[in-house]
Amino acid sequence: MGETLQAPRGTRDLLPAETGRWARVEAALREVFARYGYGELRTPLFEHTELYVRGIGEATDIVGKEMYTFADRKGRSLTLRPEGTAGVVRAYAQHGLGQGEAGEAKLFYLGPMFRYERPQAGRFRQFWQAGAEAIGYADPMADAESVAMLVAALRAAGLKDLSVDVNSVGDAETRAAFRARLVSFVEGWSGPISAESRARCAVNPLRILDSKDPQDAELVAAAPKVTNHLGTRSSAHLASVLRHLDRLGVPYEVNKALVRGLDYYTDTVFEVLSADLGAQSAVAGGGRYDSLVGQFQAQPRPAVGWAIGLDRLVGLLEQRGLMEGSGGARAAVCCVGSRAFARGLALAEELRGLGVRTWFDPSGRRSLKSQFKQADAEGCLLALVLGDDELDRGEATLKDMRKGGQAPVALAGAAAEAARRLAGD
Ligand code: HAM
């Protein structure tokens, strides 16, 4: 026999015990997207490499060292999508999705992303995001609505106490001036600094502020903050976003150390962090990106959006015991003897036809005790029990799996009676 192959490092199989929980989280998120008027967009899993180099920025970690890039059979450079925003903007421009003069569109997506990162708890090479992008909206109200929707989405998925970290990274000019200020500060710094931050100083100094390395804690605390150097327009924009969030009662904190790892952000940036996630603490992140659309079509368009990391969200919900029950079977058909099993098969079909999740053992060989045990593990609330004696009387026994009581029911009406009881449950 050959050696058993394992899934590639950083990827995993989501098994039936988990996919039910994932599906419920996804359904809750879809419902929120619909409530806010977002339409689903499904973009390809791979795009021309150039899209990400131009969109995300050459100096970022993602483009610099985390992309799955390959040449196809004709030698074109393609890349597995490391995030969703660049693809959404490409599709928006390609299909002219913008409505009206401002080119407005509200789009959401849900699917796997790929980054060649060092795998650890909460960090995978294939991971899932649910994201939302509002294109064509410049007003701070759009930022506030987007953040409010993020909180609504996380709450709908089951995350209870959460707070959004909000900051502004200013416009392109502010950032260029600030970058120079930060570089000279870091160059003059004589305290501890990690090797990674030292290297970043030359390539993408803003990311130093985002360092989670304990060696950099002192440096990050002492470093100048871009929020303290915003131009008048950016300051007013941030103040207005915060005012709207206050009015909406959205829980947030201004975190001046927050800078995001992608180059396309302008003004507002935000993240939802959870200490429970350890080093990989961000459940979701996003912000405004007013210069990205103009890179892919003649008409520039302001935009704001975010993405939730589903692996982290589901992990957090499981960790906190916030996942509802298994969503498994609700009824069981348990039988003794081959005649009863044959009739039980039909009875199970009848129940399923009535929309009831039904467990039945088609091996026809298990003891009644073993069937009850399994039915209980499958989350069944009641069981219809069939033996040869019951069959001869044209009856089944309806057993309450929770309370343990049982009573005979006419076989002909047994499925309908079980369905009726479950509906009243
Ligand atoms: P991001 O912060 O790179 O932003 O990713 C968003 C979320 O995806 C993170 O907060 C995290 O939960 C999850 N995530 C990222 N990398 C991994 C990984 N290796 N393993 C597991 N989860 C991960 C973006 O991708 C932007 N496109 C968000 C956005 C949309 N900004 C504006 N619009």
Side-chain angles (χ1 to χ4, degrees):
M1 208 178 85
E3 205 180 306
T4 317
L5 266 181
Q6 309 275 317
R9 193 167 136 74
T11 71
R12 58 192 176 142
D13 301 303
L14 294 172
L15 306 178
E18 298 158 280
T19 46
R21 294 196 287 268
W22 279 70
R24 279 203 302 288
V25 166
E26 288 166 11
L29 298 178
R30 284 178 182 281
E31 171 54 33
V32 173
F33 290 136
R35 238 185 269 160
Y36 282 81
Y38 281 63
E40 183 177 6
L41 179 64
R42 300 192 190 191
T43 66
L45 295 195
F46 58 86
E47 298 265 6
H48 293 295
T49 302
E50 189 197 344
L51 173 71
Y52 301 117
V53 176
R54 264 165 55 189
I56 302 173
E58 215 144 358
T60 59
D61 282 352
I62 295 181
V63 172
K65 52 186 190 193
E66 294 172 0
M67 294 205 301
Y68 278 94
T69 297
F70 58 97
D72 75 1
R73 288 174 184 277
K74 291 266 170 67
R76 301 176 199 98
S77 181
L78 299 171
T79 294
L80 297 184
R81 62 183 190 191
E83 58 102 52
T85 312
V88 167
V89 168
R90 196 254 325 123
Y92 166 90
Q94 180 177 335
H95 305 287
L97 295 180
Q99 302 282 315
E101 243 169 62
E104 291 162 356
K106 287 183 171 179
L107 304 162
F108 84 87
Y109 51 91
L110 213 154
M113 308 291 161
F114 307 85
R115 294 185 195 174
Y116 193 87
E117 293 193 81
R118 200 166 48 77
Q120 50 175 263
R123 190 159 77 188
F124 303 94
R125 289 181 172 169
Q126 174 174 324
F127 59 98
W128 288 68
Q129 279 188 349
E133 316 289 354
I135 306 176
Y137 299 90
D139 196 277
M141 279 198 291
D143 309 47
E145 187 185 56
S146 179
V147 173
M149 175 171 69
L150 172 58
V151 170
L154 292 170
R155 281 187 178 149
L159 207 59
K160 296 293 176 244
D161 46 334
L162 59 104
S163 170
V164 188
D165 278 28
V166 182
N167 195 22
S168 172
V169 293
D171 53 23
E173 298 88 76
T174 307
R175 270 210 310 289
F178 177 74
R179 192 171 292 134
R181 187 190 296 262
L182 183 63
V183 168
S184 81
F185 172 84
V186 174
E187 283 171 355
W189 175 256
S190 53
I193 177 169
S194 68
E196 192 169 1
S197 288
R198 194 171 288 291
R200 272 179 172 158
C201 192
V203 202
N204 196 351
L206 245 72
R207 289 287 285 161
I208 296 176
L209 298 177
D210 204 29
S211 170
K212 308 278 187 295
D213 192 319
Q215 275 193 81
D216 292 327
E218 241 180 276
L219 168 76
V220 171
K225 306 286 182 292
V226 64
T227 332
N228 296 335
H229 302 277
L230 296 177
T232 331
R233 198 204 48 79
S234 289
S235 297
H237 188 94
L238 176 62
S240 178
V241 172
L242 299 182
R243 255 197 322 275
H244 286 303
L245 291 178
D246 284 334
R247 243 180 251 140
L248 295 175
V250 172
Y252 74 87
E253 262 169 68
V254 175
N255 173 1
K256 291 188 178 181
L258 178 66
V259 286
R260 306 254 308 126
L262 302 94
D263 275 358
Y264 49 61
Y265 292 110
T266 53
D267 288 323
T268 321
V269 289
F270 48 89
E271 268 182 4
V272 174
L273 304 168
S274 170
D276 294 355
L277 285 171
Q280 302 307 314
S281 60
V283 193
R288 178 164 279 287
Y289 47 98
D290 288 349
S291 312
L292 186 62
V293 178
Q295 294 187 36
F296 299 100
Q297 64 174 34
Q299 186 69 254
R301 299 292 188 198
V304 58
W306 48 256
I308 297 173
L310 291 183
D311 305 78
R312 292 184 193 171
L313 174 58
V314 173
L316 205 54
L317 293 171
E318 283 169 351
Q319 200 178 317
R320 293 190 182 174
L322 293 173
M323 275 297 190
E324 346 152 348
S326 69
R330 310 248 305 149
V333 175
C334 302
C335 310
V336 193
S338 56
R339 251 190 339 125
F341 265 108
R343 181 66 185 87
L345 172 66
L347 184 56
E349 281 301 283
E350 204 184 326
L351 275 162
R352 291 167 184 148
L354 294 172
V356 177
R357 274 181 257 149
T358 306
W359 180 83
F360 169 76
D361 171 34
S363 77
R365 268 189 298 199
R366 288 163 85 148
S367 71
L368 196 56
K369 192 172 160 209
S370 149
Q371 290 176 63
F372 283 152
K373 204 169 151 203
Q374 172 98 32
D376 195 42
E378 300 284 340
C380 296
L381 302 178
L382 55 81
L384 285 170
V385 189
L386 275 183
D388 286 347
D389 292 350
E390 278 103 339
L391 269 190
D392 290 340
R393 289 198 301 269
E395 277 178 2
T397 300
L398 185 63
K399 180 177 157 77
D400 187 323
M401 298 288 287
R402 288 266 177 83
K403 301 184 190 117
Q406 57 183 56
V409 282
L411 192 49
E417 173 62 16
R420 200 180 55 74
R421 291 228 190 162
L422 285 169
D425 187 54

